[in-house]
Amino acid sequence: MRSFSSLLLAGLLAASVAPATAQTAPKADSLNIRKIYDEALLRGQSYDNLRYLCQRIGGRLSGSPQAAMAVQWGKLTMEKANCFDKVYLQECMVPHWVRGAKEKGQIVGNKGKRIPAAVCALGGSVATPGNKALRAGVVEVKSLAELKALPDAAVKGKFIFFNRPFNDALVEPGAAYGAAGDQRRSGPAEAGRRGAVGALVRSLTAAQDNNPHTGTTNYGDTPTRVPAAALSTLAADQLSQLLAGDPKLEFELQMSCETLPDEKSYSVIGEVRGTKYPDQIITVGGHLDSWDLAEGAHDDGTGVVQSIEALRLLKAAGLRPERTVRAVLFMNEENGTHGGMKYAEQAQQNRENHLAAIESDGGGFTPRGFNVESTPAVFQKVAAWKPLLAPYLAGQLTPGHAGTDIEPLTAAVHPTALFGYDCDSQRYFDIHHTTADTFDKVNKRELELGGAAMASLIYLLGKYGL
């Protein structure tokens, strides 16, 4: 019979090598996540990286010289972070649309009185004929269905004015953006099909100001492409009010935008190879391109720097992922998604096993958590991590859309789950796609907290899988 002391020693040795139990694992995870946040809040690098991207490079629409500069910046910044096993570029062809001279818009009364209206061209729009002023009457509608119901005679030769505002009763501004977005995406094409000479679209925002919001419009296969411009909300309200008193007033628009041949560009990829399951891949990313009106700070400079920072935070905290993680700076989300599609295409060709993908493209505001696209069973497993994320304001896990750039992975390689970083979006659409999307609108602590939230999710995915 073994002595009590030998039995005690054997028990202690067994405990020292036993795998972590359900009780001990969360404590270790909690401590590791605390390390991530300490590094982010005390020594975070996202804010300084964002300052350079915004203020030294600025707006970086696909195909532009600034977009090419951003690619080189992204590669160099990843290399300097010293946390990736390899950094490389992934080629993709992207559209090259240029805005041209500053757009001009005026409301013209029946006595010739002119009132300036704040306008900007929608991305992909054609110019006004000969780059000269185009003047015509205006027909106001609130929906594509309302336009469809109008007789041809009421539409032909006119500007169609799409004036459906945000639904401010919706708590989430993103839902209001989605509900109003068809008039920008498809309205100009429908106007052209009906014989209109142009389209004026109310900016997709609840903000009452004179900052027009750009964004992509899609002509599709319509044979007649008409100039398409966004009106600021104040200009839209004024035009609507004046139309009510004088249905015969006219609008004058001048734009010189054009679409040039596609350009070769690149997404930037940094990879950390997993220690135990290197063939299982986790992607985290944001889009490197932005609209040309401002610096592309919240859309999506914040997501770019957070994706790089998430991997740096893990290394600084001494946490090597057990699964392979790639940080991807996607090119061309705003007007084509060619970077995201190319990444998915290459993953499919290489027969890669993609466990999960995370995208940050909703601004760099205070964290809430993550939107999750997965089966109910997988969602329940992810939901068990809420207590670990909740102390850092990132515990809200909700079924919902994850992101545009990672969406093509679904059909290509069927990842187990997609995650969209979710932050407080109440202010996001005030500046989205406008001249106001600048570095000074970003709060350092909010930005760094977001990167830490993403790093924490990567840590949990890397350790436990799905």
Side-chain angles (χ1 to χ4, degrees):
M1 184 175 178
R2 297 169 67 185
S3 66
F4 174 77
S5 58
S6 64
L7 288 171
L8 177 61
L9 178 60
L12 291 172
L13 288 171
S16 70
V17 298
T21 66
Q23 289 73 37
T24 60
K27 183 176 181 181
D29 293 335
S30 180
L31 291 172
N32 285 333
I33 290 173
R34 180 68 255 183
K35 290 179 185 177
I36 291 171
Y37 276 87
D38 283 347
E39 176 67 21
L41 292 173
L42 298 176
R43 293 170 292 276
Q45 296 181 10
S46 293
Y47 196 66
D48 287 339
N49 285 338
L50 183 66
R51 178 187 286 110
Y52 191 100
L53 178 62
C54 289
Q55 297 187 341
R56 299 289 292 274
I57 298 176
R60 42 202 182 274
L61 190 58
S62 294
S64 68
Q66 291 83 3
M69 291 170 61
V71 168
Q72 295 307 314
W73 167 88
K75 185 173 185 292
L76 183 61
T77 302
M78 281 188 172
E79 290 168 347
K80 285 184 175 179
N82 197 31
C83 60
F84 297 99
D85 296 326
K86 63 177 179 178
V87 177
Y88 58 99
L89 304 181
Q90 186 174 78
E91 181 182 315
C92 58
M93 296 300 293
V94 299
H96 187 191
W97 177 83
V98 294
R99 186 172 300 279
K102 183 172 176 55
E103 308 89 334
K104 297 178 182 177
Q106 295 186 89
I107 303 169
V108 185
N110 58 13
K111 294 183 180 179
K113 183 180 178 181
R114 292 172 172 266
I115 302 172
V119 298
C120 72
L122 293 180
S125 176
V126 297
T128 50
N131 295 342
K132 296 180 179 179
L134 171 65
R135 181 170 164 177
V138 180
V139 176
E140 180 178 357
V141 297
K142 292 292 198 296
S143 67
L144 298 180
E146 189 176 333
L147 170 61
K148 186 176 181 180
L150 291 174
D152 290 343
V155 175
K156 191 171 182 178
K158 304 289 182 65
F159 280 107
I160 303 302
F161 171 33
F162 295 93
N163 192 32
R164 181 163 79 256
F166 259 31
N167 181 357
D168 285 338
L170 298 174
V171 174
E172 288 291 343
Y177 178 78
D182 63 342
Q183 59 189 341
R184 188 199 74 200
R185 294 189 302 271
S186 305
E190 293 304 317
R193 287 190 182 99
R194 295 298 309 280
V197 297
L200 306 171
V201 182
R202 182 188 186 91
S203 286
L204 302 184
T205 179
Q208 291 291 303
D209 59 30
N210 260 325
N211 289 330
H213 293 230
T214 192
T216 297
T217 194
N218 184 6
Y219 290 113
D221 60 357
T222 179
T224 305
R225 299 189 173 194
V226 299
L231 288 173
S232 73
T233 51
L234 290 181
D237 287 343
Q238 186 174 36
L239 178 58
S240 181
Q241 291 163 9
L242 293 173
L243 269 175
D246 179 11
K248 293 184 179 180
L249 67 71
E250 295 180 313
F251 195 88
E252 188 172 284
L253 177 68
Q254 184 171 3
M255 305 194 306
S256 58
C257 41
E258 62 177 323
T259 298
L260 301 175
D262 287 358
E263 289 275 351
K264 183 190 296 185
S265 190
Y266 305 88
S267 295
V268 188
I269 302 174
E271 182 175 293
V272 178
R273 190 159 177 81
T275 57
K276 289 187 178 180
Y277 312 101
D279 292 336
Q280 295 184 26
I281 298 168
I282 300 165
T283 295
V284 58
H287 65 85
L288 190 54
D289 62 307
S290 79
W291 284 107
D292 55 322
L293 293 177
E295 297 172 356
H298 278 290
D299 187 23
D300 184 32
T302 53
V304 164
V305 297
Q306 286 170 333
S307 298
I308 299 172
E309 180 74 350
L311 274 297
R312 192 197 69 81
L313 292 174
L314 290 173
K315 181 174 182 180
L319 303 170
R320 177 87 182 188
E322 295 184 8
R323 288 160 172 86
T324 293
V325 183
R326 290 184 190 148
V328 184
L329 315 185
F330 294 100
M331 180 54 70
N332 184 230
E333 186 273 346
E334 292 293 3
N335 61 341
T337 325
H338 287 79
M341 291 190 292
K342 187 67 173 183
Y343 182 72
E345 177 188 317
Q346 287 292 110
Q348 185 179 50
Q349 289 177 359
N350 295 335
R351 299 175 182 250
E352 293 175 347
N353 177 10
H354 281 251
L355 175 71
I358 307 165
E359 183 168 343
S360 174
D361 187 18
F365 300 102
T366 301
R368 285 182 175 175
F370 297 88
N371 295 325
V372 186
E373 293 183 45
S374 70
T375 64
V378 170
F379 181 82
Q380 287 304 312
K381 179 162 187 176
V382 172
W385 297 335
K386 284 184 179 182
L388 292 166
L389 300 172
Y392 306 99
L393 311 177
Q396 184 173 300
L397 303 174
T398 312
H401 179 63
T404 301
D405 278 313
I406 59 177
E407 188 174 9
L409 287 169
T410 301
V413 290
H414 313 294
T416 307
L418 301 180
F419 298 85
Y421 170 63
D422 185 28
C423 58
D424 186 337
S425 61
Q426 297 302 322
R427 294 167 286 161
Y428 183 54
F429 291 101
D430 292 357
I431 62 175
H432 181 251
H433 293 185
T434 75
T435 57
D437 188 11
T438 49
F439 174 73
D440 60 291
K441 306 299 192 307
V442 179
N443 176 272
K444 184 180 189 302
R445 285 184 61 83
E446 291 177 344
L447 177 66
E448 303 292 0
L449 283 168
M454 292 160 64
S456 299
L457 180 58
I458 294 168
Y459 161 73
L460 293 168
L461 290 166
K463 182 175 180 180
Y464 296 109
L466 289 172

